[in-house]
């Protein structure tokens, strides 16, 4: 095999769990369209550009609501990314008191705000084990206390692609009167999610991963059951409403959306959602195609690459995310050779998820992660398996 | 007798939602700046024909769209302000 510079193909992008690439042309067009033809600050003025911007944002709100089966678009809160959304929910609900339960598969976007509140004092956090990647549901139920306000569950691991069963967890939360926040950064657009019929109170989503929008987009979807008065805003400021008052309005979505929104990004997000829904089978179709690619890769890799180890059985990988290691090699070296010599872009290390790697036995060294998107093909996987085979052989003979 | 009424909202998002709903229903509507005599808010409201006000109110209630109130559109006051 040769250097990608001499290959007659594009470099291969297997880092879609970080952010998806490429973005659909409609997304690019929507972003440019806002900046060149719509303009205007939504909700701030009565002129045509402002109204059009407001309509564009509202139609994105409708698209997000419909995607998650939420009947009321006013219950979609735009944030700047999933981390921002998770911080709003975690800090806004816990404030400075009470108990929270979370899982040992979390990303730092949930565990860090929780641990920060704990370190400041007043908030207690319990991390429930996830042997083999799945939450120990009985241990989760035992961890709940009368003072438990919030459960934070990673819907699918960014490092391992393992999905948690929100229905079982949600039923327990409902019985115990605990708010369930699902971190759907990796599952929005990758796995169907139904906030109306599943017992989830709040969904945090990323706009630039499975929804194919631009970076700088994400948000929360609040179920009808969740009283948003339980969540305090973290930001205060202009909303284009109640301008005569020096106090933050209390109604949705304004209470949580101070300052001008990322309208260009939100226009792109709407186009991204429309794009994935236009693909065959919609989100479910995407999930199935990624599972096929995952199974295809894992079968060939296990067969061809000496010392190939993946800690997750193929049937448990739901989001096209594969963590692996090659025995005797540092994951960072494997990823470096993939990128430098073969033009394959992946991510090595702990993937901002040290707890998840501890749960799966890959801490502190981490793994190499390949994460597939809607544009990846079997041909790319064939090329990558050949590359990994060469890398493993090359290294051993050196 | 005024020919127009305006629907006032707490949230600008609700006004956009209303304008879209009324468009879908084929009801004449226009987004206009909130008349200063009705509210100190600096956003916009939805102007409709007064004769549609009853039907619009029903649609908003059915559709779960939150609104503050419906008032008659006192255009004369706008003109006086401009003088």
């Amino acid at each position: 095999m040769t250097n990608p510079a001499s290959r007659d193909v594009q470099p291969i992008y297997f880092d879609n769990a970080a952010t998806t690439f490429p973005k659909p042309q409609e997304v690019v067009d929507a972003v440019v369209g806002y900046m060149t033809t719509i303009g205007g600050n939504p909700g701030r003025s009565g002129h045509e550009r402002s109204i059009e911007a407001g309509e564009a944002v509202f139609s994105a709100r409708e698209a997000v609501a419909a995607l998650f089966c939420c009947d009321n678009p006013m219950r979609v809160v735009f944030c700047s990314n999933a981390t921002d959304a998770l911080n709003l929910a975690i800090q806004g609900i816990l404030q400075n008191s009470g108990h929270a339960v979370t899982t040992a598969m979390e990303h730092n976007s949930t565990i860090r705000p929780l641990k920060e509140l704990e370190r400041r004092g007043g908030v207690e956090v319990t991390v429930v084990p996830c042997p083999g990647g799945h939450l120990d549901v009985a241990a989760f139920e035992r961890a709940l206390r009368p003072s438990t306000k919030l459960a934070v569950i990673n819907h699918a691991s960014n490092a391992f692609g393992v999905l948690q069963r929100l229905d079982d967890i949600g039923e327990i939360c409902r019985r115990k009167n605990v708010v369930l926040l699902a971190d759907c950064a990796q599952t929005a657009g990758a796995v169907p999610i139904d906030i109306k019929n599943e017992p989830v109170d709040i969904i945090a989503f990323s706009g630039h991963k499975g929804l194919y929008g631009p970076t700088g987009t994400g948000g929360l979807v609040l179920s009808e059951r969740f009283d948003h008065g339980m969540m305090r805003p973290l930001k205060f400021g202009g909303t284009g409403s109640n301008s005569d008052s020096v106090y933050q309005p209390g109604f949705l979505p304004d209470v949580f959306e101070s300052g001008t929104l990322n309208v260009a990004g939100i226009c792109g997000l709407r186009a991204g959602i429309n794009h994935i829904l236009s693909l065959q089978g919609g989100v479910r179709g995407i999930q199935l195609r990624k599972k096929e690619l995952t199974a295809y890769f894992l079968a060939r890799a296990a067969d061809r690459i000496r010392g190939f180890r993946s800690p997750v059985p193929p049937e448990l990988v739901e989001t096209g995310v594969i963590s692996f290691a090659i025995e005797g090699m540092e994951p960072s070296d494997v990823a470096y050779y993939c990128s430098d010599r073969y033009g394959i872009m992946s991510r090595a290390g702990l993937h901002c998820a040290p707890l998840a790697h501890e749960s799966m036995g890959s801490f502190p060294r981490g793994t190499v992660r390949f994460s597939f998107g809607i544009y990846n093909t079997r041909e790319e996987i064939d090329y990558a398996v050949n590359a990994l085979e060469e890398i493993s052989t090359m290294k051993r003979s050196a | 007798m005024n020919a127009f009424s305006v629907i006032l909202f707490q949230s600008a998002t609700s006004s956009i939602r209303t304008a879209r709903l009324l468009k879908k229903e084929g009801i004449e509507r226009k987004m206009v700046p909130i008349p200063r005599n009705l509210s100190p808010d600096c956003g916009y409201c939805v102007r409709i024909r007064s004769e549609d006000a009853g039907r619009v109110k029903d649609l908003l209630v059915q559709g779960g769209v939150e609104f503050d109130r419906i008032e008659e559109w006192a255009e004369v006051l706008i003109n006086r302000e401009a003088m």
Side-chain angles (χ1 to χ4, degrees):
Chain A
M1 298 197 29
T2 50
N3 189 293
S6 62
R7 279 169 64 221
D8 217 14
V9 292
Q10 293 291 312
I12 291 173
Y13 188 77
F14 281 167
D15 200 14
N16 290 282
T19 192
T20 45
F21 179 88
K23 302 299 181 189
Q25 187 59 43
E26 303 96 285
V27 173
V28 178
D29 293 344
V31 172
V32 173
Y34 167 71
M35 292 192 283
T36 54
T37 58
I38 299 178
N41 192 329
R44 302 302 199 266
S45 320
H47 58 72
E48 193 183 338
R49 293 198 187 286
S50 173
I51 292 167
E52 271 194 55
E55 287 192 346
V57 170
F58 190 75
S59 63
R61 243 183 252 289
E62 286 183 314
V64 171
L67 181 75
F68 296 111
C69 308
C70 170
D71 288 336
N72 186 354
M74 305 292 278
R75 301 189 72 81
V76 173
V77 176
F78 285 119
C79 302
S80 54
N81 47 49
T83 299
D84 189 35
L86 288 161
N87 269 271
L88 167 57
I90 291 169
Q91 296 192 54
I93 290 170
L94 291 171
Q95 296 167 41
N96 56 10
S97 68
H99 175 238
V101 180
T102 190
T103 83
M105 287 301 279
E106 296 305 301
H107 186 274
N108 279 339
S109 56
T110 56
I111 200 71
R112 283 186 176 169
L114 286 167
K115 294 305 268 185
E116 177 62 23
L117 294 181
E118 188 181 57
R119 182 160 68 180
R120 288 180 193 173
V123 169
E124 291 179 294
V125 179
T126 303
V127 179
V128 180
C130 298
H134 281 123
L135 178 69
D136 180 339
V137 177
F140 172 80
E141 184 159 11
R142 284 197 302 275
L144 299 179
R145 307 173 189 168
S147 62
T148 308
K149 284 183 182 172
L150 179 67
V152 186
I153 306 290
N154 177 278
H155 191 204
S157 164
N158 67 306
F160 299 98
V162 180
L163 199 66
Q164 305 299 338
R165 289 189 60 94
L166 292 178
D167 46 359
D168 292 347
I169 300 163
E171 289 304 335
I172 296 168
C173 289
R174 195 137 301 173
R175 240 187 303 122
K176 305 268 184 171
N177 211 18
V178 171
V179 174
L180 175 57
L181 164 65
D183 169 9
C184 298
Q186 291 293 328
T187 49
V191 175
I193 301 167
D194 181 342
I195 200 170
K196 195 174 172 186
N197 293 304
E198 289 179 271
V200 181
D201 297 301
I202 307 174
I203 283 170
F205 68 93
S206 165
H208 67 97
K209 298 181 194 277
L211 302 183
Y212 282 81
T215 49
T217 57
L220 294 176
V221 183
L222 310 177
S223 79
E224 291 288 349
R225 297 171 299 270
F226 176 68
D227 170 13
H228 74 271
M230 291 173 66
M231 189 164 83
R232 210 165 124 184
L234 305 185
K235 292 182 291 189
F236 302 85
T239 56
S241 51
N242 284 12
S243 297
D244 52 319
S245 171
V246 295
Y247 293 104
Q248 187 79 355
F251 46 83
L252 289 170
D254 303 35
V255 55
F256 302 120
E257 288 185 352
S258 289
T260 301
L261 290 169
N262 174 9
V263 187
I266 289 168
C267 289
L269 172 61
R270 177 197 174 209
I273 293 172
N274 288 344
H275 180 82
I276 60 167
L277 293 179
S278 75
L279 301 178
Q280 194 186 358
V283 173
R284 179 68 77 193
I286 291 169
Q287 183 186 10
L288 293 175
R289 285 190 292 280
K290 281 192 199 164
K291 279 180 78 84
E292 281 169 19
L293 288 179
T294 303
Y296 185 81
F297 171 76
L298 285 172
R300 271 147 196 79
D303 195 37
R304 299 258 308 278
I305 302 159
R306 202 153 47 104
F308 179 88
R309 297 282 180 271
S310 176
V312 185
E315 63 275 14
L316 294 188
V317 179
E318 295 287 350
T319 55
V321 169
I322 301 160
S323 254
F324 65 90
I326 296 176
E327 261 175 30
M329 298 187 75
E330 285 296 328
S332 53
D333 289 342
V334 175
Y336 173 74
Y337 290 131
C338 276
S339 169
D340 190 59
R341 302 193 178 187
Y342 300 95
I344 301 165
M345 296 169 215
S346 64
R347 183 171 169 193
L350 295 172
H351 314 99
C352 297
L355 293 185
H357 278 281
E358 278 179 18
S359 294
M360 304 303 283
S362 44
F363 185 85
R365 179 173 267 183
T367 53
V368 183
R369 181 185 71 184
F370 279 5
S371 48
F372 304 135
I374 58 174
Y375 297 110
N376 291 125
T377 63
R378 288 185 171 210
E379 288 69 31
E380 289 179 325
I381 289 174
D382 288 337
Y383 175 80
V385 170
N386 285 339
L388 288 171
E389 191 180 17
E390 284 189 5
I391 288 168
S392 65
T393 313
M394 168 193 76
K395 190 66 185 172
R396 265 169 245 284
S397 61
Chain B
M1 181 67 194
N2 290 305
F4 293 108
S5 294
V6 289
I7 317 167
L8 300 174
F9 305 88
Q10 284 196 311
S11 170
T13 303
S14 295
S15 60
I16 294 282
R17 194 182 182 193
T18 298
R20 286 167 65 89
L21 177 71
L22 299 186
K23 187 179 180 185
K24 206 164 73 183
E25 294 291 332
I27 294 172
E28 190 184 312
R29 80 278 149 209
K30 190 174 165 73
M31 305 280 304
V32 296
I34 296 171
R36 206 53 50 223
N37 61 310
L38 295 182
S39 166
D41 213 336
C42 59
Y44 42 92
C45 57
V46 178
R47 193 185 71 183
I48 54 172
R49 292 158 62 92
S50 293
E51 65 198 55
D52 292 329
R55 191 175 155 215
V56 167
K57 194 173 175 180
D58 290 344
L59 280 169
L60 296 181
V61 171
Q62 280 164 23
V65 180
E66 287 175 14
F67 64 99
D68 190 14
R69 61 192 197 273
I70 300 180
E71 295 263 5
E72 287 195 342
W73 163 260
E75 195 155 16
V76 59
L77 284 177
I78 302 296
N79 292 339
R80 193 180 294 158
E81 265 182 13
M83 278 164 66

